[in-house]
Amino acid sequence: MLFLTEGSGTWFADIGKFDFKAPVLPFATPLQHLAITREQPLKGYAIRFHGDFYCIEYHKVEVACNW
């Protein structure tokens, strides 16, 4: 997850294209193909979560993440 506090541009996630203007919270998943083009300088924060945060690591079957 990114918390972009300043700037604007385009967020590409897999085959999706999303124009954005801060403030914005774009999310991504592991192994997703990502790219950002910017029209203005960007400022913000990157926040990463481990699977345990969502209780996924030990409960994959219950949350349909059993791959």
Side-chain angles (χ1 to χ4, degrees), residues 4 13 17 26 41 50 60:
L4 299 175
K17 177 183 172 187
H50 186 275
K60 291 178 182 173

Side-chain angles (χ1 to χ4, degrees), residues 44-67:
Y45 305 90
I47 302 169
R48 296 177 56 185
F49 296 97
H50 186 275
D52 286 345
F53 178 80
Y54 301 107
C55 299
I56 291 174
E57 189 64 32
Y58 300 107
H59 302 284
K60 291 178 182 173
V61 175
E62 292 91 342
V63 294
C65 292
N66 52 344
W67 34 270

Side-chain angles (χ1 to χ4, degrees), residues 7-12 16-22 24 26 37 39:
S8 63
T10 304
W11 170 270
F12 298 89
K17 177 183 172 187
F18 310 94
D19 295 323
F20 68 87
K21 182 174 167 73
V24 65
T37 59
E39 298 168 3

